[in-house]
């Protein structure tokens, strides 16, 4: 496989308590051109992540001591926005939703296929690169609301909502294609950085739900419509924001 992310090796922090799985994953990601640091519990994960310099974290939820969701909360609370992919147990729907709501970027369900897992981690890395090269911009929606990509905010009057980087990309992508349906696979490729958008995942839907709930507070409850069988469509009126205003 071609290394496609950057010249230097991407650094992955792997958090998994089951030794055979951990060792297998270390081997897998090293063979895929990653530098891998592996730890077996949540506390070590928090400490290791604090050293920084990781391009992505592969985080098991079921861990002894501090579980994966608590690790995630720790990272986000100290403003560490390293991309996180959760490893979740089959049927653990609640964990998945909680994880995505608490700032995870994506998840895979055990047992997972190794190709899918590698594809998803690469997706996180690509997304990070796209995000870093995004131009700064502001747009006005429905005359009264201002979407500021640089600040990760949408505001209307005194009401200001803070978006996650992912929500910001999602809103930006939909806004840029206002009034036409955007399929989920197009969002997976462009917002999540997947090469193959056909991967089955609820990631897009959960993020859209969260984004909608936030936008409600600035009068944007109906900005993102679900188009049955086709994806999502942005319905707000988008115009360029006045310069410097
Ligand atoms: Ca585990």
């Amino acid at each position: 496989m071609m290394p496609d992310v950057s010249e230097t090796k991407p650094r992955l922090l792997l958090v998994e308590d089951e030794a055979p799985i951990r060792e297998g994953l270390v081997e897998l990601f090293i063979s895929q051109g990653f530098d891998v640091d592996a730890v077996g519990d949540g506390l070590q994960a928090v400490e290791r992540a604090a050293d920084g310099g990781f391009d992505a974290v592969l985080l098991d939820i079921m861990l002894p001591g501090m579980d994966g969701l608590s690790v995630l909360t720790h990272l986000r609370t100290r403003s560490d926005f390293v991309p996180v992919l959760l490893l979740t147990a089959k049927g653990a729907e609640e964990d998945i939703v909680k994880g995505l709501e608490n700032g995870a970027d994506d998840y895979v369900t055990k047992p997972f296929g190794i190709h899918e897992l590698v594809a998803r981690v690469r997706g996180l890395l690509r997304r990070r690169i796209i995000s870093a090269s995004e131009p700064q911009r502001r747009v006005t929606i429905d005359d009264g609301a201002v979407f500021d990509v640089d600040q990760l905010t949408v505001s209307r009057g005194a009401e200001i909502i803070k978006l996650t980087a992912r929500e910001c990309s999602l809103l930006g992508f939909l806004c840029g294609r206002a009034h036409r349906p955007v399929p989920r696979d197009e969002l997976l490729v462009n917002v999540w950085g997947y090469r193959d958008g056909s991967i089955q995942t609820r990631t897009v839907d959960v993020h859209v739900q969260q984004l909608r709930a936030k936008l409600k507070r600035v009068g944007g409850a109906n900005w993102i419509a679900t188009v049955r069988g086709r994806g999502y469509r942005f319905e707000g009126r988008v115009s360029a924001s006045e310069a410097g205003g």
Side-chain angles (χ1 to χ4, degrees):
M1 196 174 275
M2 291 271 294
D4 62 339
V5 172
S6 69
E7 301 278 325
T8 57
K9 286 187 177 185
R11 287 191 69 211
L12 181 69
L13 176 60
L14 167 66
V15 189
E16 166 64 68
D17 59 311
E18 286 164 73
I21 299 180
R22 185 174 66 240
E23 283 153 21
L25 289 175
V26 167
E27 221 168 279
L28 170 69
F29 279 96
I30 286 176
S31 77
Q32 295 293 316
F34 287 76
D35 259 347
V36 186
D37 255 11
V39 296
D41 69 65
L43 209 54
Q44 281 187 66
V46 167
E47 285 170 4
R48 196 66 62 87
D51 300 341
F54 291 100
D55 297 298
V57 179
L58 198 51
L59 179 61
D60 188 28
I61 288 190
M62 297 284 282
L63 294 168
M66 184 189 289
D67 70 11
L69 290 177
S70 307
V71 172
L72 177 65
T73 304
H74 264 261
L75 296 181
R76 297 313 187 224
T77 306
R78 69 181 184 212
S79 298
D80 185 341
F81 296 110
V82 60
V84 171
L85 186 135
L86 294 175
L87 300 176
T88 68
K90 202 171 179 161
E93 188 82 350
E94 245 177 69
D95 284 348
I96 293 169
V97 173
K98 224 185 268 173
L100 293 172
E101 282 175 355
N102 283 293
D105 296 272
D106 202 358
Y107 68 93
V108 289
T109 304
K110 291 177 171 181
F112 44 77
I114 57 171
H115 296 297
E116 176 174 353
L117 183 62
V118 171
R120 294 225 185 175
V121 170
R122 288 194 188 285
L124 290 186
L125 300 179
R126 269 197 299 279
R127 176 64 219 133
R128 199 174 204 204
I129 291 163
I130 297 166
S131 157
S133 63
E134 246 164 29
Q136 301 181 3
R137 59 183 194 273
R138 287 156 55 109
V139 294
T140 298
I141 304 171
D142 282 359
D143 297 330
V146 176
F147 172 31
D148 189 321
V149 174
D150 184 41
Q151 299 293 320
L152 303 179
T153 56
V154 183
S155 56
R156 183 188 288 274
E159 185 76 35
I160 299 173
I161 55 169
K162 187 87 185 156
L163 304 178
T164 65
R166 183 79 64 184
E167 288 163 352
C168 188
S169 307
L170 179 58
L171 182 59
F173 194 80
L174 290 170
C175 253
R177 287 147 192 82
H179 307 294
R180 79 166 178 83
V182 181
R184 284 179 181 76
D185 55 359
E186 200 174 323
L187 291 169
L188 281 172
V189 169
N190 291 284
V191 177
W192 273 262
Y194 288 0
R195 182 161 295 164
D196 173 7
S198 69
I199 291 169
Q200 290 294 313
T201 178
R202 285 197 54 213
T203 300
V204 173
D205 301 323
V206 172
H207 278 89
V208 167
Q209 280 168 31
Q210 278 172 234
L211 182 55
R212 269 193 193 132
K214 284 189 179 180
L215 294 176
K216 203 171 172 178
R217 287 167 33 207
V218 288
N222 300 319
W223 284 349
I224 303 174
T226 303
V227 188
R228 230 185 140 79
R230 299 191 63 191
Y232 294 101
R233 184 175 57 219
F234 192 80
E235 312 232 297
R237 278 192 324 282
V238 180
S239 51
S241 195
E242 64 284 10

